[in-house]
Amino acid sequence: MSLYKIRVADLENILEQDEIDLKVLRSFCFNGIPDCNGFRALCWKLLLGYLSPKKSTWPAKLTKQRELYKQFVKEMVISPGEQDGPECIDHPLSDGPESNWSTFFRDNEVLLQIDKDVRRLCPDISFFQQATEFPCEFVKERERKLHVRVAPTTLSSANVERKGVGMTKINLITKRATESYEAMDAGQEAHWEVVERILFLYAKLNPGQGYVQGMNEIIGPIYYVFASDPHLEYRRYAEADCFFCFTALMSEIRDFFIKTLDESEGGIKGMMAKLSNLLHEQDAEVWERLRDQELYPQYYSFRWLTLLLSQEFPLPDVLRIWDSVFADDKRYDFLIKICCAMILLLREQILENDFANNVKLLQNFPLMDINLVLRKATCLD
């Protein structure tokens, strides 16, 4: 029996238990989750705390959360006027704090940024441009697609020309937005539209944080894994399950996205300082080379840490990295070790390069066997 089949059998045995031993599961997943049978989607739900180790609780928990998400969509993905009663005096020009229209226009400012970001999600694969099997029934029936609210529009204007005392001539001019996106057929949704809705709801439900650029890169791999699950019933509810797992993950890394917490230990500057200190411990010569060139961690590791390396590697490698990060008890300490390992594996080039070439090298990490990076990270004290 091949090593891969042995690992599949071992994971099946772990997941067959009535109460899953999370310690054993974490130890297994740290070394990579087999990419078959929907194992990764299920394990991530367990590792992120969406599902309890007690399997008997799963049906009730999933039903409750999926119904809750459905309610969020019904209440928040709605245009003003649709739910107003006959006595409502709210109108589009109202700027009162309780005006649905005022909220609608403020939301559109956030939605515009989300819309731009999700349209360029994982451009190396076509998955997010493809139609989902399970478009949101609520949106499909009432045509409440969010991107329509901020879609580029066609504007008509006219130039009035008059020569002498003759006839006035009106030249109609049509101006289109510079970007044009192909829409899905009626009743269909692309995967990026689903991700857009999840991020919009997250921003609505977390007004203290809202949406920050980069969150689309965090949610992309999670949604991809859930929406690619071979089990039909899990794929059907990929949107709701992804929302709650993304929310759970963001609760752990929210400090990365809040500027006022940058200086805190869990903030992004604190994380970069930990990376710098670890690099100094592991290889003082490389650390000094970067210091002498004034190539500080914020020039390259800000994106690494904030986006959990989702932009530095191809998607399959990102999934493998996240298996280990999610499985580690001190998951973000291990993320720092991975980043340090990436630098150490470029040691010879860093010591030879000048400032410009080192910036280019670290900001565009070269293709490398991800298992080599992870093995190096695991060896760091």
Side-chain angles (χ1 to χ4, degrees):
M1 184 181 292
S2 68
L3 179 60
Y4 181 79
K5 289 183 178 179
I6 292 174
R7 284 186 58 76
V8 169
D10 288 345
L11 183 54
E12 286 176 341
N13 183 58
I14 294 171
L15 296 175
E16 281 175 359
Q17 306 304 312
D18 292 335
E19 183 166 354
I20 297 167
D21 188 327
L22 278 183
K23 185 176 181 180
V24 173
L25 181 67
R26 287 181 184 279
S27 177
F28 180 94
C29 293
F30 184 82
N31 294 308
I33 301 170
D35 192 16
C36 65
N37 301 336
F39 286 142
R40 178 170 280 119
L42 179 56
C43 289
W44 282 13
K45 289 169 188 172
L46 287 160
L47 295 173
L48 291 172
Y50 180 50
L51 291 179
S52 163
K54 292 185 178 181
K55 293 172 70 174
S56 60
T57 66
W58 291 2
K61 173 67 178 290
L62 290 173
T63 299
K64 178 183 177 181
Q65 296 300 91
R66 290 164 178 174
E67 282 299 316
L68 179 60
Y69 182 79
K70 185 177 180 181
Q71 192 63 34
F72 288 158
V73 174
K74 285 185 177 181
E75 292 179 0
M76 298 180 192
V77 183
I78 186 169
S79 297
E82 292 185 62
Q83 59 184 358
D84 294 341
E87 298 180 358
C88 181
I89 59 173
D90 195 12
H91 58 82
L93 297 181
S94 173
D95 60 359
E98 297 182 0
S99 167
N100 288 331
W101 280 103
S102 179
T103 301
F104 175 80
F105 292 125
R106 286 197 304 271
D107 288 346
N108 280 357
E109 295 176 10
V110 177
L111 182 57
L112 181 61
Q113 185 61 61
I114 295 175
D115 189 69
K116 289 179 180 178
D117 292 345
V118 296
R119 289 177 186 269
R120 52 177 180 251
L121 190 58
C122 298
D124 294 338
I125 61 174
S126 63
F127 174 81
F128 288 95
Q129 284 71 48
Q130 296 174 6
T132 174
E133 297 173 85
F134 305 104
C136 178
E137 290 295 325
F138 183 69
V139 172
K140 184 176 72 173
E141 291 174 2
R142 307 196 185 191
E143 290 301 313
R144 289 181 177 144
K145 294 192 174 186
L146 287 172
H147 69 87
V148 174
R149 288 168 50 167
V150 291
T153 56
T154 301
L155 304 176
S156 294
S157 61
N159 281 348
V160 179
E161 298 179 2
R162 185 171 184 175
K163 296 182 179 180
V165 294
M167 183 181 296
T168 299
K169 181 181 179 182
I170 300 178
N171 291 325
L172 291 176
I173 300 173
T174 299
K175 295 183 179 180
R176 294 185 181 274
T178 56
E179 294 181 272
S180 177
Y181 300 101
E182 184 177 350
M184 284 284 169
D185 295 335
Q188 289 187 315
E189 281 189 304
H191 288 295
W192 66 262
E193 294 180 70
V194 180
V195 174
E196 180 175 48
R197 184 163 51 247
I198 297 173
L199 289 172
F200 178 73
L201 290 176
Y202 178 82
K204 289 278 287 180
L205 291 166
N206 295 272
Q209 180 182 28
Y211 173 77
V212 180
Q213 271 190 291
M215 289 182 180
N216 58 308
E217 306 296 349
I218 300 294
I219 198 173
I222 300 175
Y223 177 78
Y224 172 80
V225 168
F226 290 5
S228 303
D229 196 306
H231 300 103
L232 180 66
E233 195 63 14
Y234 278 124
R235 282 204 312 278
R236 184 186 303 276
Y237 296 102
E239 179 178 349
D241 294 345
C242 178
F243 171 81
F244 288 108
C245 285
F246 172 70
T247 300
L249 179 58
M250 286 305 303
S251 71
E252 298 179 3
I253 64 172
R254 63 188 296 272
D255 291 1
F256 297 179
F257 292 89
I258 299 178
K259 192 171 183 62
T260 55
L261 297 177
D262 281 355
E263 303 292 343
S264 67
E265 183 179 356
I268 192 61
K269 288 186 179 179
M271 294 288 284
M272 289 190 292
K274 289 179 181 179
L275 172 58
S276 180
N277 292 337
L278 180 60
L279 179 61
H280 186 264
E281 293 172 7
Q282 296 296 323
D283 195 325
E285 188 177 2
V286 169
W287 182 87
E288 289 172 1
R289 177 66 171 172
L290 296 177
R291 182 201 60 184
D292 292 345
Q293 292 182 342
E294 297 185 353
L295 210 172
Y296 302 116
Q298 54 263 39
Y299 289 137
Y300 55 89
S301 67
F302 180 89
R303 186 178 68 186
W304 293 4
L305 294 165
T306 304
L307 304 184
L308 308 185
L309 296 171
S310 61
Q311 293 293 284
E312 314 313 315
F313 297 94
L315 183 59
D317 289 352
V318 173
L319 304 184
R320 174 63 190 88
I321 291 170
W322 286 16
D323 288 345
S324 294
V325 171
F326 291 168
D328 194 76
D329 284 335
K330 299 179 179 178
R331 59 183 59 161
Y332 304 111
D333 286 345
F334 187 66
L335 175 64
I336 290 172
K337 289 182 179 180
I338 297 174
C339 294
C340 185
M342 291 164 61
I343 299 171
L344 295 175
L345 289 169
L346 299 177
R347 184 179 197 276
E348 300 304 322
Q349 293 164 268
I350 290 173
L351 294 177
E352 292 178 3
N353 286 347
D354 58 14
F355 171 82
N357 284 319
N358 273 335
V359 169
K360 184 177 180 181
L361 178 67
L362 293 172
Q363 290 186 348
N364 300 276
F365 194 78
L367 286 175
M368 188 177 294
D369 183 353
I370 192 58
N371 292 306
L372 177 64
V373 178
L374 292 172
R375 281 197 299 270
K376 183 72 172 177
T378 304
C379 294
L380 300 181
D381 295 327

